[in-house]
Amino acid sequence: MGENLRRHRLRLGLSQEAFAERLGVHRTYMGGVERGERNLTLKTVEKLAETIDVSPIELLSRPVSEDRGSRTSSSSS
C-alpha cells in the first residue's frame, strides 16, 4: 500500500509534509506508512484514499510495476 500511496502523492505533486498536513498527521507518520512500517485501520485507508481521490481498493491492490508487468507467466490464478 505504501508504494501506491507514494505514487499517488507524487502524482498530485505533494510532499510527504504537505500530504501529512492535509491528513492532520505528522510527516514522520506518513513516511512510516509509505515504507510499510505502520499498521493501518480500514478507516485510515479510507481517509487516505478519499484525500487523494482514489478507491481504497486501489491503494490496497498490488502495485503494477514495469518489472512485474512483463512477467505475466509467473502469475498465479
Side-chain angles (χ1 to χ4, degrees):
M1 193 196 104
E3 188 177 327
N4 284 335
L5 185 61
R6 181 174 189 272
R7 183 172 42 86
H8 286 294
R9 176 180 58 77
L10 293 174
R11 174 183 54 84
L12 294 170
L14 296 172
S15 66
Q16 276 185 351
E17 188 171 8
F19 191 58
E21 187 175 314
R22 215 181 247 197
L23 291 169
V25 298
H26 196 273
R27 177 194 55 79
T28 57
Y29 175 80
M30 284 310 306
V33 170
E34 288 186 1
R35 289 188 302 274
E37 299 169 353
R38 301 284 183 165
N39 293 318
L40 306 177
T41 65
L42 289 176
K43 190 168 195 87
T44 302
V45 172
E46 288 174 340
K47 183 177 181 179
L48 292 169
E50 183 179 321
T51 301
I52 59 174
D53 198 30
V54 298
S55 70
I57 196 70
E58 190 172 342
L59 283 183
L60 294 170
S61 298
R62 177 171 287 197
V64 178
S65 68
E66 292 177 32
D67 294 341
R68 291 185 198 143
S70 64
R71 289 188 262 166
T72 56
S73 62
S74 63
S75 299
S76 60
S77 344

